[in-house]
Amino acid sequence: TKKILKTLKKHHAKAIFFVTKDYIMSSPGLVKKMKKEGHLVGNHTYHHVQLNKLNETKAREEILKTNNLIYETTGVYPLYLRPPFGAWKKNLELCVEMLPVFWTIDTLDWKVKNTEKIVRTVKEQIEDGAIILMHDEYDTSVEAALQVVNELKNQGYELVTVDQLILP
């Protein structure tokens, strides 16, 4: 994540980082840095659970506990949630007053663990308004993210936070 933040800063680019309880607890300074540098910090649930498999009370708890941790860490209450596995419960956004964020490009970086394939996936699918799903826990993904940021900026794309894409 540090490398990704450095590259984003170099290119005056922004992103949203969706975090779980474990990430916040293990790297609070990094989460604060994301916010300080103008990135959004979004919710990825407390335990990285499949929300559509939980009852409404448990699903809300997963989201709200993470929101509180994000607020305690950054001073900002998150508005965006990326549901793990893309699994969403119908009308859950009404109960938690958040917007679910889904991606238009799934690099499958967690699965392929191949920098060239990840970059190629983005290059083949990129278009204005794309939301790219990537993770920062694998070296191949981080290297791909660095290359993608450089490549997209060189092509004239502006990398922005998701709120600029989905809100009018």
Side-chain angles (χ1 to χ4, degrees):
T1 305
K2 290 178 186 176
K3 289 180 183 179
I4 293 170
L5 286 170
K6 185 176 179 180
T7 297
L8 290 169
K9 189 173 190 174
K10 173 184 165 191
H11 289 288
H12 306 286
K14 300 297 178 203
I16 185 167
F17 293 87
F18 291 99
V19 296
T20 62
K21 174 212 43 147
D22 289 343
Y23 192 93
I24 297 166
M25 300 303 279
S26 67
S27 303
L30 209 47
V31 175
K32 288 176 187 174
K33 184 174 181 163
M34 292 168 185
K35 163 66 176 85
K36 182 180 176 198
E37 292 185 359
H39 305 287
L40 291 180
V41 178
N43 187 324
H44 196 46
T45 73
Y46 203 73
H47 294 103
H48 197 266
V49 293
Q50 195 166 332
L51 292 169
N52 65 345
K53 302 274 187 190
L54 302 177
N55 66 43
E56 186 176 298
T57 301
K58 289 286 187 193
R60 286 183 73 234
E61 183 178 298
E62 280 286 326
I63 294 165
L64 296 177
K65 284 172 70 173
T66 308
N67 283 351
N68 289 336
L69 274 178
I70 292 170
Y71 178 78
E72 290 168 11
T73 305
T74 67
V76 176
Y77 202 79
L79 299 174
Y80 303 97
L81 178 135
R82 183 174 75 75
F85 317 103
W88 188 246
K89 281 182 92 66
K90 185 177 181 180
N91 295 324
L92 186 58
E93 67 274 12
L94 303 175
C95 300
V96 295
E97 298 180 8
M98 296 185 79
L99 290 173
V101 174
F102 300 94
W103 48 93
T104 59
I105 300 175
D106 188 350
T107 63
L108 297 174
D109 59 324
W110 59 272
K111 185 177 182 181
V112 299
K113 295 181 184 168
N114 179 302
T115 300
E116 289 178 15
K117 285 183 181 180
I118 297 165
V119 172
R120 185 170 48 249
T121 296
V122 174
K123 284 181 175 181
E124 290 171 354
Q125 298 180 36
I126 195 65
E127 60 185 15
D128 284 342
I131 297 174
I132 304 166
L133 173 62
M134 297 183 79
H135 301 80
D136 64 357
E137 61 221 84
Y138 308 105
D139 290 341
T140 53
S141 299
V142 171
E143 182 55 37
L146 302 178
Q147 289 182 32
V148 164
V149 169
N150 287 324
E151 179 74 26
L152 294 180
K153 289 299 288 186
N154 288 339
Q155 289 181 29
Y157 284 97
E158 182 181 1
L159 300 161
V160 299
T161 52
V162 75
D163 57 334
Q164 293 180 269
L165 295 174
I166 63 176
L167 295 178

